[in-house]
Amino acid sequence: MQVLLSRFKTLEIGIEDYNRILDVNLRGTLLMSQAVIPTMQQQKGGSIICLSSVSAQRGGGIFGGPHYSAAKAGVLGLTKAMAREFGPDQIRINALTPGLIQTDITGGLLQDERRHAILDGIPLGRLGSASDVANAALFLASDLSGYLTGITLDVNGGMLIH
């Protein structure tokens, strides 16, 4: 997992790293969508929530590298294209773009000084939690978002306001 979170520069990205990041993030989103869309078409509706990242919108993040940002930006493009294609089937397809989320993985990588600098750039003054992302996904999956498709919902505490 360290490779997924390390800070790569463009000229340091090997083809294996590039393929792995795109396979997990972009190809995985496509393949999972292809697996569920036929059933959703048969039942005449459904909701797909794609996971992107604030890194796609910023052109980089705290962790990851250009290939991660590119893969997550690809997820946004795929989300919008599928939303247009499958909207007539009443299948809503939206994306979440989490910011920095506190997990066991990120916790060990953030030293106190760096953590405080990051928190200073987040208007809500805290890192996100897994439940913050889950609640946003629950909203997009529910009928409360019944007229939303092709949107990008930011879950970043204001880290990126646009």
Side-chain angles (χ1 to χ4, degrees), residues 50-57 68 71-76 95-98 152:
C50 302
L51 285 176
S52 182
S53 170
V54 69
S55 180
Q57 298 164 313
Y68 179 77
K72 291 301 192 177
V75 169
L76 294 179
L96 291 176
T97 51
T152 300

Side-chain angles (χ1 to χ4, degrees), residues 55-111:
S55 180
Q57 298 164 313
R58 290 174 36 122
I62 306 300
F63 301 113
H67 52 334
Y68 179 77
S69 295
K72 291 301 192 177
V75 169
L76 294 179
L78 179 62
T79 298
K80 292 175 187 312
M82 290 191 304
R84 286 188 185 282
E85 182 177 353
F86 297 105
D89 295 317
Q90 301 307 300
I91 300 170
R92 297 179 299 106
I93 305 174
N94 296 295
L96 291 176
T97 51
L100 189 56
I101 305 300
Q102 179 69 46
T103 66
D104 57 339
I105 296 170
T106 59
L109 297 173
L110 291 176
Q111 306 306 328

Side-chain angles (χ1 to χ4, degrees), residues 2-38:
Q2 183 65 26
V3 172
L4 293 175
L5 296 177
S6 62
R7 192 82 163 127
F8 279 91
K9 301 225 184 273
T10 301
L11 297 177
E12 299 169 350
I13 300 169
I15 194 67
E16 289 102 20
D17 292 328
Y18 181 84
N19 286 336
R20 183 174 57 251
I21 295 297
L22 263 71
D23 282 350
V24 168
N25 294 286
L26 185 52
R27 189 181 321 257
T29 300
L30 174 65
L31 294 176
M32 185 59 74
S33 298
Q34 288 175 328
V36 300
I37 286 171

